[in-house]
């Protein structure tokens, strides 16, 4: 019994439990946050294995970027619907026009309300398929990790940053470049999908790219708030 | 240094199972004492600076002269306040958010070298570690804003996420130039690399990008759109009161100190000085940057959200990339 073992057990339980909660929690926001917890736990495992560069990258990319993008996607959809809650009581003035028609749709999406028949019927098959896929994955992982000791021994690499950089720019230069081309294609695709040519008159800039997603999505809310506040 | 070595000897004499734990605990306590001790002074300093910029005196009565004890009764008051959790709040998120925000604010100090050999842990991924920790700030602000169950809070959280996402990238890229010149990500190595010239001279563009992006990361005016009292009441903090609110406040000042420490370490030579290098130089530079950020805060008005997003993505990001290219060319020629 040493600290590595204790930490490994703790992280293992944390990763498994949060991963389980990602798919079982009824609220999508909680799922995103559990996912962040799960990623953080994986970063901890990297640290235990002496791969500090990978750990920091894991946090930076997965907790920082991926989870944040998921959160963005959630927030750009209409919050009270996504919450899966009954409609919040309309405040004084009742000025929440955007939320009036919301709850029914939200319940359907999140399984809170009555479900269309087709979904009910298909569910069994989907479940079996998912279970088969999961079993296949577990089997594949079993083959890959056959003979690996748990917990694995920390590699005594010392400083990993410089060797990693050297490898990426020499031995693995082509895979690295291919990955960046794939990312660039994804970037261009995302911009193409998100650009909406507005029917508005000139003077307003078209909404494009991630930077404007935040600003653009926020405007209606602000206007709504301003209207609610009434005259000063 | 004798204190450090005797502490080391004491920790080393413990049984193997406990010594790493005890040494880590001692370092954590020292860092926390440093952070919170300075924090009390910072809150007072902010009020005095704010007061002077607005042609008034600021706190004067508790702790004469100049009211330097004012923060103590404030802490007592905050502790004594009622702890309110709104009925519509998402309880878990609401309670956890102030705790999560403390983590990056304090954990940033792990890699900061206070003086020669005075570093809690010299990680060889130093800069990457600093940048990665920023991710948790985004998460906690989102948890606070969303968990409050209030539309002002949600709007504030959305702004915070958009802003932090937009400014983390130029912040990280501005530090890439520093890492290139120093040839290392470790903050200790970066300070050693500045023995001939501070990096503010070698990386002036990077420094300016860092300064602007850091002000945005700190959520301080002119980039405090996530709080924006006049339009969003106080953004993600609306529903917080008492100690929970105080934790946001404490985390804000801890991040202010951490960012100032990073600026002092990466661009102004850390503990190095023109003469008598030591931790006092680091402290002086730290307080210079803290004052600079306060100065900016009480001088400039808040900018509009679309201007802010454009500044981040369309100006700072290309400039930071250009800085990397220029640094590369410079290194190829003179390096």
């Amino acid at each position: 019994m040493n600290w590595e073992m204790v930490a490994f057990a703790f992280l293992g339980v944390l990763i498994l439990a949060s991963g389980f909660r990602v798919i079982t929690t009824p609220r999508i926001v909680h799922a995103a946050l559990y996912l962040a917890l799960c990623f953080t736990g994986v970063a901890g495992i990297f640290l235990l294995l002496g791969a500090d560069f990978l750990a920091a990258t894991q946090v930076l990319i997965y907790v920082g970027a991926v989870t944040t993008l998921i959160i963005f996607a959630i927030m750009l959809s209409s919050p009270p619907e996504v919450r899966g809650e009954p409609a919040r009581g309309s405040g004084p003035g009742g000025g929440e026009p955007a939320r009036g028609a919301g709850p029914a749709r939200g319940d359907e999406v999140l399984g809170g309300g009555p479900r269309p028949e087709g979904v009910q019927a298909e569910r069994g098959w989907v479940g079996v398929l998912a279970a088969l896929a999961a079993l296949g994955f577990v089997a594949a992982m079993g083959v890959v990790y056959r003979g690996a000791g748990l917990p694995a021994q920390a590699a005594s690499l010392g400083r990993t940053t410089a060797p990693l950089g050297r490898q990426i720019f020499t031995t693995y230069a082509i895979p690295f470049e291919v990955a960046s081309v794939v990312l660039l294609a994804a970037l261009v695709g995302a911009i193409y999908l998100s650009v909406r040519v507005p029917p508005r008159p000139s003077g307003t800039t078209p909404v494009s790219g991630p930077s404007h997603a935040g600003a653009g999505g926020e405007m209606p809310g602000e206007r709504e708030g301003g209207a609610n506040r009434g005259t000063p | 240094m004798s204190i450090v070595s005797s502490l080391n000897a004491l920790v080393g004499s413990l049984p193997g199972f406990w010594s790493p734990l005890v040494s880590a605990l001692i370092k954590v306590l020292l860092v926390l004492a440093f952070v919170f001790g300075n924090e009390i002074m910072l809150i007072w300093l902010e009020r005095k600076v704010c007061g002077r910029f607005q042609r008034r005196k600021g706190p004067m009565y508790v702790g004469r002269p100049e009211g330097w004890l004012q923060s103590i009764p404030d802490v007592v008051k905050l502790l004594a306040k009622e702890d309110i959790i709104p009925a519509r709040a998402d309880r878990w998120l609401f309670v956890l958010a102030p705790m999560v925000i403390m983590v990056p604010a304090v954990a940033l100090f792990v890699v900061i070298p206070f003086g020669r050999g005075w570093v809690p842990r010299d990680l060889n991924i130093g800069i990457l570690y600093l940048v990665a920790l920023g991710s948790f700030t985004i998460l906690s602000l989102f948890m606070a804003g969303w968990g409050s169950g209030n539309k002002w809070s949600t709007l504030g959280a959305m702004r915070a996420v958009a802003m932090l996402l937009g400014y983390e990238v130029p912040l990280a890229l501005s530090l890439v130039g520093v890492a290139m010149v120093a040839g290392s990500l470790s903050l200790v190595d970066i300070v050693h690399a500045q023995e001939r010239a501070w990096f503010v001279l070698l990386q002036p563009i990077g420094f300016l990008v860092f300064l602007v992006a850091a002000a945005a990361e700190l959520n301080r005016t002119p980039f405090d759109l996530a709080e924006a009292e006049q339009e969003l009441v106080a953004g993600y903090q609306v529903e917080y009161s008492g100690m929970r609110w105080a934790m946001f406040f404490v985390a804000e000042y801890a991040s202010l100190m951490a960012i100032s420490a990073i600026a002092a370490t990466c661009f102004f030579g850390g503990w190095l000085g023109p003469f008598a290098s030591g931790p006092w130089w680091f402290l002086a530079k730290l307080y210079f940057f803290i004052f600079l950020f306060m100065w900016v805060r009480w001088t400039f008005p808040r900018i509009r959200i679309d201007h802010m997003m454009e500044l981040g993505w369309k100006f700072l990001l290309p400039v930071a990339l250009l800085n990397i290219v220029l640094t590369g060319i410079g290194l190829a020629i003179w390096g």
Side-chain angles (χ1 to χ4, degrees):
Chain A
M1 195 66 176
N2 53 5
W3 286 115
E4 274 85 34
M5 193 65 206
V6 174
F8 180 76
F10 173 75
L11 287 172
V13 171
L14 181 82
I15 291 169
L16 288 179
S18 55
F20 182 70
R21 287 300 286 160
V22 171
I23 51 174
T24 54
T25 185
R27 291 185 176 182
I28 193 163
V29 175
H30 290 188
L33 291 171
Y34 276 121
L35 193 62
L37 188 62
C38 187
F39 288 149
T40 313
V42 174
I45 295 278
F46 281 143
L47 270 189
L48 273 185
L49 293 173
D52 47 5
F53 186 85
L54 271 187
T57 316
Q58 166 86 10
V59 171
L60 187 63
I61 305 288
Y62 285 92
V63 181
V66 172
T67 312
T68 312
L69 283 183
I70 293 175
I71 283 172
F72 244 111
I74 293 171
M75 290 212 286
L76 287 176
S77 42
S78 191
E81 294 157 307
V82 174
R83 234 165 225 258
E85 278 176 354
R88 284 190 260 167
S90 45
E96 294 185 337
R99 290 168 185 175
R105 192 151 57 91
D107 283 351
E108 276 172 24
V109 170
L110 287 167
R115 210 178 270 281
E117 276 304 309
V119 178
Q120 290 276 16
E122 274 175 24
R123 227 178 160 191
W125 288 108
V126 173
V128 170
L129 276 181
L132 277 179
L135 274 179
F137 184 70
V138 168
M141 286 293 116
V143 172
V144 170
Y145 289 114
R146 191 182 31 173
L150 282 180
Q153 290 306 305
S156 53
L157 294 174
R159 303 198 149 196
T160 53
T161 315
L164 262 177
R166 212 161 286 133
Q167 291 289 313
I168 281 180
F169 282 108
T170 55
T171 320
Y172 299 106
I174 290 177
F176 178 72
E177 292 300 329
V178 169
S180 57
V181 169
V182 170
L183 285 179
L184 184 67
L187 205 64
V188 173
I191 291 172
Y192 177 75
L193 287 178
S194 63
V195 164
R196 288 168 298 195
V197 181
R200 280 178 278 174
S202 60
T204 51
T205 48
V207 176
S208 67
S211 62
H212 279 67
E218 194 161 29
M219 288 311 173
E222 272 187 312
R223 256 180 254 130
E224 183 193 327
N228 273 351
R229 221 184 304 163
T231 51
Chain B
M1 290 307 282
S2 64
I3 306 171
V4 175
S5 54
S6 59
L7 261 181
N8 271 336
L10 182 73
V11 171
S13 68
L14 288 164
F17 188 70
W18 294 108
S19 76
L21 193 67
V22 172
S23 94
L25 263 182
I26 290 175
K27 284 174 180 171
V28 166
L29 287 179
L30 284 176
V31 166
L32 283 182
F34 177 80
V35 172
F36 290 110
N38 276 289
E39 194 121 326
I40 298 277
M41 293 316 290
L42 279 190
I43 293 166
W44 168 78
L45 187 68
E46 176 99 274
R47 295 172 134 182
K48 292 307 275 192
V49 169
C50 160
R52 293 293 169 184
F53 273 93
Q54 296 171 353
R55 292 206 148 207
R56 46 190 184 84
K57 287 183 170 174
M60 287 299 283
Y61 294 102
V62 188
R64 286 164 199 267
E66 296 292 318
W68 60 280
L69 282 176
Q70 181 62 45
S71 301
I72 309 275
D74 284 344
V75 170
V76 174
K77 180 198 75 174
L78 284 169
L79 277 170
K81 272 184 140 180
E82 187 188 354
D83 176 33
I84 301 168
I85 299 181
R88 284 187 194 147
D90 191 329
R91 254 192 107 81
W92 272 95
L93 293 190
F94 188 83
V95 170
L96 278 177
M99 302 181 191
V100 174
I101 202 171
M102 288 299 291
V103 173
V106 176
L108 283 173
F109 286 92
V110 168
V111 292
I112 303 287
F114 294 84
R116 195 178 297 276
W118 288 29
V119 53
R121 185 77 190 251
D122 178 23
L123 294 180
N124 87 76
I125 51 163
I127 285 184
L128 196 62
Y129 171 85
L130 296 176
V131 176
L133 274 179
S135 318
F136 292 106
T137 312
I138 300 185
L139 279 188
S140 66
L141 293 187
F142 169 72
M143 285 163 72
W146 185 278
S148 298
N150 173 322
K151 61 181 170 183
W152 308 118
S153 307
T154 311
L155 281 175
M158 188 145 172
R159 284 182 174 190
V161 173
M163 187 165 82
L164 290 183
L165 196 64
Y167 281 83
E168 269 230 352
V169 182
L171 186 80
L173 289 180
S174 69
L175 291 175
V176 168
V178 170
M180 284 166 77
V181 178
S184 170
L185 291 174
S186 149
L187 290 182
V188 173
D189 292 350
I190 286 173
V191 172
H192 279 302
Q194 296 179 68
E195 262 159 11
R196 273 192 305 164
W198 290 356
F199 282 166
V200 66
L201 302 174
L202 302 177
Q203 290 281 322
I205 306 176
F207 174 65
L208 290 178
V209 171
F210 176 87
L211 213 56
V212 177
E217 286 284 300
L218 285 171
N219 264 332
R220 291 168 70 85
T221 321
F223 299 101
D224 65 340
L225 292 119
E227 293 172 28
E229 300 92 333
Q230 294 88 343
E231 22 180 331
L232 291 184
V233 206
Y236 56 87
Q237 298 176 350
V238 180
E239 300 289 357
Y240 284 91
S241 59
M243 265 329 273
R244 292 191 205 283
W245 176 81
M247 283 174 82
F248 279 106
F249 199 68
V250 165
E252 192 181 317
Y253 280 91
S255 327
L256 172 64
M257 277 172 67
I259 290 276
S260 303
I262 295 168
T265 306
C266 289
F267 293 100
F268 277 75
W271 72 80
L272 299 171
F275 53 89
S277 297
W280 38 86
W281 276 103
F282 174 76
L283 268 184
K285 291 165 188 169
L286 178 69
Y287 267 87
F288 168 74
F289 275 105
I290 289 170
F291 178 72
L292 188 71
F293 282 121
M294 288 181 179
W295 185 357
V296 168
R297 173 171 182 177
W298 296 110
T299 306
F300 290 105
R302 184 180 306 132
I303 69 174
R304 237 167 58 193
I305 180 120
D306 54 332
H307 288 178
M308 195 196 67
M309 299 312 286
E310 286 194 2
L311 177 68
W313 288 106
K314 293 187 183 170
F315 182 72
L316 287 185
L317 184 61
V319 169
L321 286 173
L322 179 73
N323 181 48
I324 293 178
V325 173
L326 289 180
T327 309
I329 294 173
L331 282 179
I333 296 174
W334 294 293

